[in-house]
Amino acid sequence: AQRRGKSPIFKAHVRTRKGAVKLRSIDYAERRGYVRGVIKEILHDPGRGAPVAKIQFLNAYRYKRDTELMVATEGMYTGQFIYCGKKATLTCGNVLPLKQVPEGTIVCNVEAKVGDRGAFARGSGCFAVVISHDDDKGTTRLRLPSGGKKTVSSQVRAQIGVVAGGGRTDKPLLKAGRAYHKYAVKRNCWPKIRGVAKNPVEHPFGGGNHQHIGRPSTVSKEAPAGRKVGLIGARRTGRLRGVKKLGQDKD
């Protein structure tokens, strides 16, 4: 199996993209008080399902303005003021440390480590929920969009609200041309040809007089590249039967 990103074939198509979407790099004002920025415009970023917001801040140290690209949350509009920092209010689009956010709040674009400028819940329509704070350890429990739980430092920042562009996958693509254009701005990963439809020289499942795999579809995770196709290192296979046990049922 070829590693994505090692060859020119699977390189991401980044020529028309607007840039990396991040929170402000953390500074004294955000740690102690707040900074005000204004949303200049809300842009479509090719290859990204969610819109991005171009936000302008006054630089605290030089006579200039800084523009940041941030994840657009639902309810943002151009000309809106965005406040970032410890003393910012709990309003959609604002950026606060999780320590200042009450339990049950819906947040997005959450940092994994302090100052990494956003890691979790950044896709369109995604959000994380603040479950609980542990003041002794200085940590916060989050429920991520996958349903999993994660414990992060209470100092990490997050945007308040849900990422815009939700419900994107509800509408079916309907025709190959739409799928073609969707993946043309992402990377070369479409159309996907099934392994059984290939020749033996091209794929371990290829060949044979009927389209059949002819070997177990599960494969060891220690298998060499090229053989490593199918269900890699599978603990179980088959349909999921019965009631799904969700992560939120345990707590």
Side-chain angles (χ1 to χ4, degrees):
Q2 176 146 28
R3 280 181 47 201
R4 291 280 159 96
K6 284 307 284 182
S7 78
I9 303 169
F10 291 118
K11 283 248 171 69
H13 299 165
V14 294
R15 181 178 60 84
T16 55
R17 298 208 182 157
K18 300 291 183 280
V21 169
K22 294 182 173 177
L23 301 173
R24 288 180 79 246
S25 54
I26 196 160
D27 57 5
Y28 182 85
E30 269 202 55
R31 284 205 195 91
R32 294 277 188 252
Y34 65 88
V35 186
R36 189 180 80 172
V38 64
I39 299 180
K40 283 292 176 188
E41 53 182 335
I42 291 173
L43 305 163
H44 165 67
D45 194 9
R48 182 194 296 271
V52 297
K54 190 188 263 187
I55 306 181
Q56 205 169 60
F57 294 92
L58 284 175
N59 189 299
Y61 306 103
R62 302 262 184 294
Y63 179 66
K64 63 172 183 176
R65 297 202 165 117
D66 298 330
T67 47
E68 303 282 346
L69 279 180
M70 288 198 196
V71 170
T73 59
E74 279 185 20
M76 270 188 179
Y77 53 91
T78 49
Q80 181 187 355
F81 287 127
I82 291 294
Y83 298 90
C84 304
K86 186 180 141 193
K87 300 267 173 71
T89 55
L90 199 71
T91 318
C92 279
N94 286 359
V95 180
L96 281 76
L98 284 183
K99 194 169 64 179
Q100 306 299 116
V101 172
E103 294 169 6
T105 308
I106 285 175
V107 293
C108 62
N109 200 9
V110 192
E111 295 180 324
K113 300 185 180 68
V114 179
D116 75 2
R117 302 178 71 182
F120 305 125
R122 295 157 52 96
S124 56
C126 286
F127 61 91
V129 181
V130 178
I131 300 174
S132 60
H133 293 297
D134 188 340
D135 296 333
D136 304 336
K137 294 194 185 125
T139 57
T140 300
R141 290 276 284 172
L142 293 172
R143 185 183 309 128
L144 298 183
S146 61
K149 303 268 177 43
K150 184 131 188 106
T151 306
V152 291
S153 159
S154 296
Q155 306 291 332
V156 303
R157 296 170 298 160
Q159 273 177 266
I160 309 297
V162 183
V163 183
R168 179 171 49 85
T169 52
D170 298 348
K171 182 184 176 191
L173 287 171
L174 283 180
K175 53 186 197 173
R178 291 202 184 133
Y180 169 84
H181 289 297
K182 174 183 172 177
Y183 291 105
V185 288
K186 288 179 179 287
R187 68 204 68 81
N188 176 22
C189 61
W190 185 90
K192 274 199 172 62
I193 304 172
R194 292 166 301 134
V196 289
K198 298 184 181 178
N199 296 316
V201 69
E202 291 148 356
H203 198 276
F205 296 167
N209 279 350
H210 298 287
Q211 281 193 7
H212 68 293
I213 291 182
R215 53 168 78 222
S217 59
T218 54
V219 56
S220 153
K221 65 175 195 288
E222 271 89 34
R227 172 69 191 89
K228 207 173 195 181
V229 294
L231 306 168
I232 298 167
R235 295 214 168 86
R236 64 178 303 287
T237 62
R239 260 177 352 113
L240 287 168
R241 308 287 297 266
V243 184
K244 189 173 180 217
K245 297 235 176 4
L246 284 172
Q248 59 234 47
D249 299 341
K250 291 196 197 93
D251 282 1

